[in-house]
Amino acid sequence: MGGIFNMDGPLFRFGNAIADVMILSLLWILFSIPLFTIGASTTALFYVATRRISDREGYLFRDFLSSFKSNFKRATALWILWLIMFVVILLNIRMLMIFEFETWMITILMPIHICILIELILTAVYLYPLTARFEMGFKQTIKSAFFMANRHIFTTVTCLLTGVSILIATVILFEPIIIVGMGLYAYISSYMIMRVFKKYRPEMDENQMTLEPLRPLPDISTKED
């Protein structure tokens, strides 16, 4: 019985995990307030979450801030580009629904725009975890996120359903869940996303005693299942 309540027991570890989730969520909200920093704060969120689920040592706030600073430019550029594309596609779909275009135009353009919108949403699942854990160029990050989103579609959809479930629970059932919402999503989805990452870098987080520097991701388009 004493093992349950000791410092290494499951109860203590569970309490630590809940505290980490709450702190991470609050940090994400705080650092996302300017809105254009959402990409950098989400990258920092996933940097801490993916390391925590691998039992990596470190200080939560220091790791969050370090990732926020080091990935700020790349993550912000990805966020702004994604947001612009998302808004443009939504507006185009809205125009196709409102204005009286030729039937053939709607028949062709509407499915194309919907497919692009779906791909944008799917790709977003991997954009920031990739930015957090791998050193790669802007184009390679987008390419890898797109490839993983479609190749590992079950994981992608599960992550999205997790996020939607937390959002519904926050908005409809119990609004204070927002305090832990984003941190909870990051923790849950990180378990699944890290399994995908380790298909391409099996050695990720093996050395528990040292900080692992960012390294390039292999050309995943040539990876065999």
Side-chain angles (χ1 to χ4, degrees), residues 74 78 119-120 122-153 156 193 196-197 199-201 215-223:
R74 186 160 53 117
L78 285 169
E119 287 298 336
L120 282 171
L122 296 178
T123 301
V125 172
Y126 294 90
L127 273 180
Y128 305 108
L130 279 169
T131 305
R133 296 308 303 270
F134 295 102
E135 185 64 61
M136 62 179 74
F138 188 83
K139 292 181 180 180
Q140 182 61 29
T141 303
I142 297 174
K143 175 184 174 183
S144 298
F146 175 81
F147 184 87
M148 286 182 174
N150 289 276
R151 187 166 195 172
H152 305 281
I153 190 65
T156 307
I193 290 171
V196 172
F197 286 177
K199 292 179 182 291
Y200 307 100
R201 280 228 178 266
R215 289 183 290 174
L217 186 71
D219 184 1
I220 63 176
S221 61
T222 62
K223 176 87 168 51

Side-chain angles (χ1 to χ4, degrees), residues 19 38 40 48 56 58 60 68 89 219:
I38 288 177
V48 176
R56 300 282 287 177
L60 191 149
F68 183 88
I89 293 299
D219 184 1

Side-chain angles (χ1 to χ4, degrees), residues 81-138:
L81 175 63
W82 184 91
L83 184 61
I84 290 173
M85 293 180 65
F86 186 79
V87 171
V88 168
I89 293 299
L90 280 182
L91 290 176
N92 285 348
I93 291 174
R94 179 71 172 168
M95 289 176 62
L96 287 171
M97 294 173 63
I98 293 177
F99 295 104
E100 297 181 358
F101 291 98
E102 295 289 339
T103 303
W104 68 268
M105 289 183 63
I106 297 177
T107 303
I108 295 174
L109 293 178
M110 184 65 81
I112 292 175
H113 280 75
I114 291 175
C115 287
I116 295 174
L117 183 66
I118 291 172
E119 287 298 336
L120 282 171
I121 295 171
L122 296 178
T123 301
V125 172
Y126 294 90
L127 273 180
Y128 305 108
L130 279 169
T131 305
R133 296 308 303 270
F134 295 102
E135 185 64 61
M136 62 179 74
F138 188 83

Side-chain angles (χ1 to χ4, degrees), residues 19-29 44-45 48-49 52 60 64 179 182-183 186-187:
D20 285 350
V21 165
M22 292 184 64
I23 294 171
L24 275 177
S25 292
L26 291 173
L27 285 174
W28 181 82
I29 292 171
L45 175 76
V48 176
R52 283 295 188 277
L60 191 149
F64 186 98
I179 298 175
M182 197 61 186
Y187 260 71

